[in-house]
Amino acid sequence: MAAPLKSFAARRALLSLATLALVGALALAAWLGAAALRPVGLYTGWLLLGLVLLLAFFNARKKLPFLPLLNAGTWLQLHVYAGWLTCFVFALHTGARLPGGRLEFLLWLCFIVVAASGVSGLWLSRWLPPRLARSGESLIYERIPLLRHRLETEAKALVHQAEAETKSTTLADFYLRELGGYFARSPALLAPLAGDDADYHRVKLELAALRRFLNEREAALADQLGELLEAKRNLDAQRAGQRLLKLWLFVHIPLTYGLLVLIGAHVWLVLHYSHRL
Amino acid sequence: MRRLLQSLVYNRKLYDRPQDEWICGRAAEGCPCIYGPGPKGECRATGQCLPAKKGDRWVCTRLISLGAECGPGPRPDGACGCPVPPCRPQRSLRAERGRLVWLVVCLALGLVVLALWGTTRADWSMPGPLTNQHAVSAHRCTDCHVEAPGFTLSAGPRALRIRQHNQLCINCHDLGPHGDSPHGVSASELLDIARTQPKATGARPLALVAAQTVSPSAELACATCHREHRGQDINFKRLSDQQCQVCHQAPFAGFAAGHPEFAGYPYERRTRLQFDHVTHLQKHFTDIRSPAPGPTSCASCHEPAADGRQMLVKGFEQTCASCHAGQIEGAGRADAKGLIFLRLPGFDLETLKAAGADLGEWPEFCEGGLTPFMRWLLEGDDRARAALETLGNQNLSDLKSATPAQKAAAADLLWSIKGLFADLVTQGQPVLLRRLGSPPDGQPARALRTGQFSADVALAAQQAWLPNLLAEVAAHRRGEKIKSTAPPAIQTIAPGKAPTTVAAAPDPDDLLADLPSEAAAPNSGAGLPAATTPPPPPGLEFDPAEDRVAAGGWYRLDDTYTLYYRPGGHEDAFLRAWIDGTAGHPAPTAQKIFSQLSAGNAPGVCMKCHTVDRTAAGTMVNWRAARPAPDVRPFTTFKHTAHFSLMGDQGCATCHTIAAAADYAGSFKANLDPAVFRSNFAPLAKSICSACHQPAQAGESCQLCHNYHTGETHKLRLKSAEFSRGLIAPPKP
């Protein structure tokens, strides 16, 4: 396990250094260009356009798997570090100032949101997966509803088994009163991530309190129900985390396309009115 | 132990297709249809499997993950024995995101269409607020932009586009003939500056050397420095020091480190008023702190201009008048205090009479030639001008050696003088105005050159000198012959004495000689007694004639047949008008007048202090000391008032030290070029400024002291005339 980590750290250090070197070179070139009365805004504009197109091609690349253009992992690394570089070129291009025009402001805002969502996504993709993996099982997001249904079915089967074997309805009544609702419910979007599992604790406590009214066989089945409760809790946490890992893309990707449209308008205006071509 | 939710058995796993647009509506219940939704989201469910026919019977093919072979088995017709009720397929997460992408793209496209082609296009496409000045003057994009789409990598079209944009700027801001040249000066002037100005010292900054390797393109747009659409209150002229220096051949690190030494700054030309600080401070005012009339400090004579930049010379009354006012008015002059304007010149009457010329009356004892003023006035008459040309340099008082033509010309000239005199008497100032002709552009008005000429003074002179002048001139102009006579004796007014009679040579043929003086000169000498009447009893005495016009005006001296003008003190309009009108005038007569007026002992002594500049723009008399020129933007600017608090015990001498050895007066001897001079003060040393002007103190930005656009700034302003000529389209209402 140590070798890959070292490799990852070395790769990150190397790419970070390369990006910083590029940033420094661009900063120096921009300063020299400005001092030499060169149209630095024009140059950084074209560079920014190229970088944004490169970044946007990452999404297209995933849709064109037949193209022999590096693998997705390499493209992701390129996307991340080119993204940082793009943010710097954007600051150079805008002079780190808030634009005054309406279209320019929309363009600026769009870029900021896309960049911020990208940075957020990068952070989430680094921060959340280890936390989600603590459960010991990596779930596929699309299967989570199925798994919830399966847990609910298993819980029902256990209750039926207890009723059939012990002729007691204690567990069945408890299922109807508490457990059924808990297995059927999906918590609020990000509540499990925020530590909001009060529902789970309440149900578990009530199940524990019920044990004194259970005979030996019912207690064994109640223990199995407790395991299902724990599995449901993990399932809810997995669902919230994975949903978050997917939801930031709902900001990043649509706004990227909106950004490309606005960039097109901006370039058209510049070519139409600028004294520089 | 935590329970695993997913099965690891290969054939128990479900095959997920998250990239599909639709997902089976029963997937969440754990029993998705094996067919899945159609591409348009329709349910294609029939049963849990598609039974396969083996031989003559149907076999269940349900997946192991769904429970493997079912109990009921396929129906006889091959349909699944476990039918699945239809579901309502749901969009996948990716499909939802794709829909959102299209929504955002459509919104952005709609916005762009509205922004670029809508009615509020100008508001949307403007990249930022304009500066206040341009926000007022520019009403459409095309007022400042060449509206033409295109993209090219070739230099020609790009340079053309820059020139087109610059032209739009120049439509309003005229930068002169060299507007596209650095600092608004021609290339040759730039070469001169580079050749003659002191060089920068020290090592070239590495950063600037690097910047110069990517030197600006040959075509520099106005917008390179003046970057618009950045807000209303931005500094539209702000440049970094590196940007200022990138074009310079010898860049330097800073003002203290490497900036060239000042080349004679701030003394870039000789003073407009010849005032020798050395002689005044070290000779006339030996102690600057002594009481009046000497100055007590520099501030006695100098004061800052309203903008605090230039130090001005106070007015004449506050500075020079205490010592020089009397000198200007003629106090203590040994010779005449007035200026000879008109005089009856001496003619060789005997020769002319011998030649048969009819001269009428003319005093025999006239002396002197034509005054320059008379000659100027006579040249305004064709006949007199012809006579003067014929006479050339012939001495009028000795015509014995003259040719007959010159004698005839002399007679003509005599009659021209009489005619001029008669016209002055009878018509007054309009004659002067007519003879002076129209002044060229920039010359003072003719009326000022008349000096408020008094026809009554001329009348009195005529009655005293040539009593029959009016009748004779009238007869001469009718073509009649007038006999040459000597005028009767005239009375001269001597100071402190009664009028005396100047004996005129008796002419036996003079019909008027025997007449009583009242008849000959009915109004002579302001009521003076007639020459032949007995002397009146002693009465009031006359002061000298020139003293009687001590405040300036016209007077005459009968003994020399001369009409004088005495200046009325400082800023005499008559002298100023004639000096302005004749300075640099090519005509010899004008030059004589200028020489007469600018002589060191001339009445008024104007040119003792006031100087004349002759430059390419022409000849100009400096009537005032240097003043702020609101229409001229210098290359170097300095604000005196901002530095007053920094002066040491030496006051102004902290910076302006006297150069006692400099030949200041020599700058004005036979030299009209203001650029050739020696200053009274030593050139300012850069170290005086750099003591404070360092990065950490008062700053050393180039723009702190220098302007880029130099020259006449009225050209930098809006050319309102361009609007009226239609070169700039008026804004739409």
Side-chain angles (χ1 to χ4, degrees):
Chain A
M1 288 299 290
L5 278 177
K6 275 188 180 176
S7 171
F8 175 75
R11 187 187 65 197
R12 175 188 277 180
L14 183 66
L15 290 176
S16 298
L17 279 177
T19 307
L20 283 175
L22 269 176
V23 164
L26 281 175
L28 181 64
W31 184 87
L32 287 177
L37 300 174
R38 286 285 182 178
V40 175
L42 193 71
Y43 299 156
T44 54
W46 286 119
L47 179 61
L48 190 57
L49 175 64
L51 283 171
V52 168
L53 289 176
L54 176 72
L55 294 175
F57 190 71
F58 175 48
N59 194 38
R61 174 69 185 85
K62 287 194 290 185
K63 293 180 178 176
L64 303 170
F66 53 91
L67 288 180
L69 295 174
L70 306 177
N71 58 42
T74 306
W75 269 102
L76 177 61
Q77 292 299 312
L78 188 65
H79 188 81
V80 169
Y81 290 99
W84 287 117
L85 187 65
T86 304
C87 291
F88 176 73
V89 176
F90 177 75
L92 276 183
H93 184 64
T94 60
R97 288 179 302 104
L98 199 65
R102 295 182 191 177
L103 199 63
E104 309 293 320
F105 178 74
L106 271 180
L107 180 59
W108 181 89
L109 187 65
C110 205
F111 184 93
I112 291 292
V113 175
V114 168
S117 61
V119 172
S120 304
L122 179 65
W123 177 74
L124 284 173
S125 67
R126 298 282 185 270
W127 179 73
L128 261 180
R131 291 172 67 91
L132 297 177
R134 283 177 199 164
S135 66
E137 188 178 21
S138 296
L139 300 179
I140 296 173
Y141 178 75
E142 284 75 14
R143 291 184 187 165
I144 287 176
L146 171 64
L147 297 176
R148 185 195 57 77
H149 179 74
R150 187 175 291 169
L151 285 178
E152 187 181 5
T153 306
E154 287 184 22
K156 278 182 185 173
L158 283 175
V159 169
H160 282 303
Q161 184 181 352
E163 190 176 13
E165 290 179 3
T166 62
K167 307 299 182 188
S168 168
T169 60
T170 307
L171 279 178
D173 292 341
F174 180 69
Y175 181 86
L176 290 175
R177 193 173 70 250
E178 297 292 346
L179 285 178
Y182 177 72
F183 280 109
R185 277 195 301 272
S186 289
L189 186 63
L190 301 177
L193 285 179
D196 183 12
D197 48 3
D199 206 15
Y200 159 75
H201 286 292
R202 182 181 56 77
V203 175
K204 190 175 182 184
L205 282 174
E206 288 195 13
L207 182 62
L210 195 66
R211 289 181 70 86
R212 55 186 165 179
F213 303 107
L214 302 178
N215 56 29
E216 190 175 345
R217 178 59 185 155
E218 283 178 319
L221 292 173
D223 289 342
Q224 293 182 40
L225 280 173
E227 289 177 11
L228 292 180
L229 277 177
E230 180 68 23
K232 172 67 166 51
R233 180 197 187 194
N234 178 46
L235 195 65
D236 288 342
Q238 292 276 347
R239 176 176 176 272
Q242 294 207 35
R243 172 162 278 205
L244 194 58
L245 282 172
K246 293 182 181 300
L247 279 185
W248 71 271
L249 289 170
F250 273 68
V251 178
H252 191 69
I253 292 178
L255 278 183
T256 296
Y257 286 98
L259 179 68
L260 289 175
V261 172
L262 293 178
I263 285 175
H266 176 72
V267 170
W268 186 87
L269 277 172
V270 169
L271 292 180
H272 209 71
Y273 289 110
S274 173
H275 64 281
R276 286 274 186 181
L277 294 177
Chain B
M1 180 181 174
R2 184 167 289 170
R3 175 196 171 91
L4 292 180
L5 296 175
Q6 298 176 120
S7 173
L8 299 177
V9 182
Y10 75 97
N11 58 2
R12 296 286 178 182
K13 292 193 294 184
L14 292 173
Y15 184 64
D16 303 302
R17 296 181 179 84
Q19 75 278 10
D20 286 352
E21 190 170 356
W22 295 94
I23 295 176
C24 178
R26 299 192 184 281
E29 297 173 6
C31 49
C33 168
I34 58 167
Y35 309 111
K40 294 184 179 179
E42 72 277 13
C43 178
R44 298 187 297 185
T46 54
Q48 291 188 2
C49 72
L50 275 177
K53 194 169 187 180
K54 287 188 176 178
D56 57 348
R57 58 180 298 212
W58 293 94
V59 179
C60 177
T61 60
R62 194 167 73 167
L63 296 176
I64 296 173
S65 60
L66 293 178
E69 191 173 348
C70 65
R75 291 180 180 172
D77 58 354
C80 180
C82 299
V84 176
C87 71
R88 190 173 181 183
Q90 295 176 338
R91 286 184 191 276
S92 66
L93 206 59
R94 179 180 289 267
E96 293 289 354
R97 199 176 70 197
R99 293 182 72 191
L100 187 59
V101 166
W102 281 110
L103 179 67
V104 171
V105 167
C106 289
L107 277 175
L109 279 174
L111 191 68
V112 166
V113 168
L114 283 176
L116 300 185
W117 289 281
T119 54
T120 57
R121 169 185 177 175
D123 295 333
W124 277 92
S125 57
M126 179 177 279
L130 295 167
T131 52
N132 289 327
Q133 296 87 339
H134 287 159
V136 172
S137 59
H139 300 270
R140 292 159 301 183
C141 302
T142 49
D143 286 347
C144 303
H145 293 279
V146 176
E147 193 175 10
F151 175 76
T152 179
L153 291 175
S154 56
R158 298 171 76 174
L160 174 65
R161 179 127 172 157
I162 289 175
R163 283 198 295 273
Q164 288 172 332
H165 272 85
N166 285 353
Q167 186 56 46
L168 288 176
C169 300
I170 291 172
N171 281 348
C172 293
H173 303 279
D174 188 352
L175 299 177
H178 307 294
D180 54 351
S181 180
H183 296 292
V185 296
S186 66
S188 60
E189 285 176 282
L190 280 177
L191 283 174
D192 282 346
I193 292 170
R195 192 171 52 247
T196 58
Q197 292 297 305
K199 307 298 181 194
T201 57
R204 292 186 175 194
L206 186 62
L208 268 171
V209 172
Q212 284 183 327
T213 59
V214 282
S215 58
S217 57
E219 292 289 341
L220 207 56
C222 303
T224 302
C225 301
H226 303 294
R227 304 181 69 183
E228 255 298 0
H229 296 292
R230 295 189 161 215
Q232 292 181 319
D233 301 320
I234 61 151
N235 186 348
F236 199 50
K237 307 168 186 171
R238 182 71 187 155
L239 280 180
S240 69
D241 291 352
Q242 288 79 18
Q243 287 173 320
C244 287
Q245 289 200 70
V246 74
C247 301
H248 291 187
Q249 294 180 357
F252 45 85
F255 178 64
H259 185 285
E261 282 294 334
F262 299 154
Y265 181 79
Y267 315 110
E268 295 171 341
R269 54 154 293 154
R270 69 182 184 188
T271 55
R272 288 166 176 79
L273 301 182
Q274 186 179 352
F275 179 85
D276 195 332
H277 283 81
V278 175
T279 57
H280 279 80
L281 295 177
Q282 297 184 356
K283 182 178 172 185
H284 304 314
F285 314 131
T286 50
D287 185 357
I288 198 170
R289 291 162 295 185
S290 66
T296 55
S297 70
C298 300
S300 298
C301 298
H302 296 281
E303 60 184 354
D307 62 359
R309 296 190 179 279
Q310 199 166 352
M311 288 300 289
L312 308 179
V313 179
K314 290 181 180 177
F316 173 79
E317 296 300 331
Q318 297 169 273
T319 53
C320 310
S322 59
C323 295
H324 293 287
Q327 188 181 6
I328 292 172
E329 290 162 1
R333 283 180 68 94
D335 50 356
K337 296 174 183 175
L339 189 70
I340 300 174
F341 184 75
L342 193 146
R343 175 172 61 198
L344 298 188
F347 278 93
D348 186 352
L349 296 176
E350 286 185 8
T351 303
L352 290 178
K353 287 176 185 174
D358 295 325
L359 304 176
E361 61 180 8
W362 191 263
E364 289 188 353
F365 301 107
C366 294
E367 291 180 349
L370 289 171
T371 69
F373 290 103
M374 280 182 69
R375 192 176 180 93
W376 182 282
L377 295 173
L378 288 169
E379 286 176 350
D381 175 57
D382 293 339
R383 190 164 184 176
R385 187 167 58 250
L388 287 169
E389 288 175 1
T390 304
L391 284 167
N393 294 326
Q394 178 64 45
N395 184 1
L396 292 175
S397 59
D398 184 6
L399 295 171
K400 292 184 180 65
S401 60
T403 63
Q406 287 179 319
K407 291 173 184 174
D412 283 347
L413 181 63
L414 185 144
W415 279 109
S416 294
I417 293 170
K418 292 172 91 171
L420 169 65
F421 199 8
D423 289 343
L424 286 173
V425 170
T426 56
Q427 300 173 36
Q429 293 177 357
V431 176
L432 288 177
L433 296 174
R434 194 164 55 244
R435 294 285 180 112
L436 288 172
S438 299
D441 292 341
Q443 292 294 313
R446 288 178 301 164
L448 295 176
R449 289 205 222 177
T450 64
Q452 297 179 329
F453 179 79
S454 169
D456 286 339
V457 172
L459 175 63
Q462 174 260 315
Q463 288 172 345
W465 304 341
L466 299 168
N468 294 316
L469 177 70
L470 304 185
E472 285 183 356
V473 170
H476 180 74
R477 287 178 178 169
R478 289 195 299 270
E480 299 173 6
K481 287 196 172 186
I482 297 95
K483 197 173 182 182
S484 300
T485 61
I490 60 171
Q491 293 178 330
T492 58
I493 303 170
K497 297 177 182 176
T500 58
T501 302
V502 176
D507 187 342
D509 297 331
D510 188 358
L511 297 176
L512 301 176
D514 298 334
L515 293 177
S517 61
E518 291 87 347
N523 295 315
S524 64
L528 297 175
T532 55
T533 54
L540 295 177
E541 295 179 347
F542 286 95
D543 285 341
E546 58 187 11
D547 288 350
R548 280 179 273 151
V549 287
W554 297 88
Y555 69 94
R556 78 174 197 273
L557 290 181
D558 290 337
D559 53 350
T560 57
Y561 299 95
T562 308
L563 194 60
Y564 287 87
Y565 174 82
R566 180 171 178 178
H570 191 246
E571 294 191 32
D572 184 84
F574 176 82
L575 291 182
R576 181 171 174 174
W578 276 99
I579 290 174
D580 275 337
T582 56
H585 199 292
T589 308
Q591 292 172 16
K592 286 180 181 174
I593 293 174
F594 181 77
S595 297
Q596 180 184 354
L597 297 176
S598 61
N601 60 350
V605 288
C606 303
M607 308 313 282
K608 181 181 176 69
C609 301
H610 296 284
T611 63
V612 178
D613 289 347
R614 181 172 294 161
T615 61
T619 303
M620 187 183 73
V621 182
N622 295 307
W623 294 111
R624 288 183 174 276
R627 296 263 153 190
D631 287 339
V632 175
R633 181 195 293 248
F635 174 65
T636 304
T637 179
F638 177 80
K639 194 164 188 174
H640 274 90
T641 51
H643 295 79
F644 282 167
S645 61
L646 303 173
M647 288 192 299
D649 295 338
Q650 294 177 303
C652 301
T654 305
C655 300
H656 302 287
T657 53
I658 293 283
D663 182 16
Y664 173 78
S667 308
F668 301 91
K669 289 176 183 172
N671 171 38
L672 298 181
D673 186 353
V676 179
F677 71 106
R678 291 281 185 277
S679 174
N680 262 161
F681 296 91
L684 202 62
K686 191 188 76 170
S687 57
I688 296 176
C689 302
S690 62
C692 296
H693 284 282
Q694 298 196 13
Q697 297 183 41
E700 58 173 11
S701 163
C702 301
Q703 288 183 305
L704 203 60
C705 303
H706 296 301
N707 291 316
Y708 178 78
H709 292 294
T710 60
E712 296 184 5
T713 54
H714 67 84
K715 292 176 179 175
L716 301 179
R717 297 176 184 159
L718 281 179
K719 296 193 297 184
S720 56
E722 303 296 339
F723 285 96
S724 60
R725 291 208 299 268
L727 294 181
I728 299 173
K732 287 180 179 177

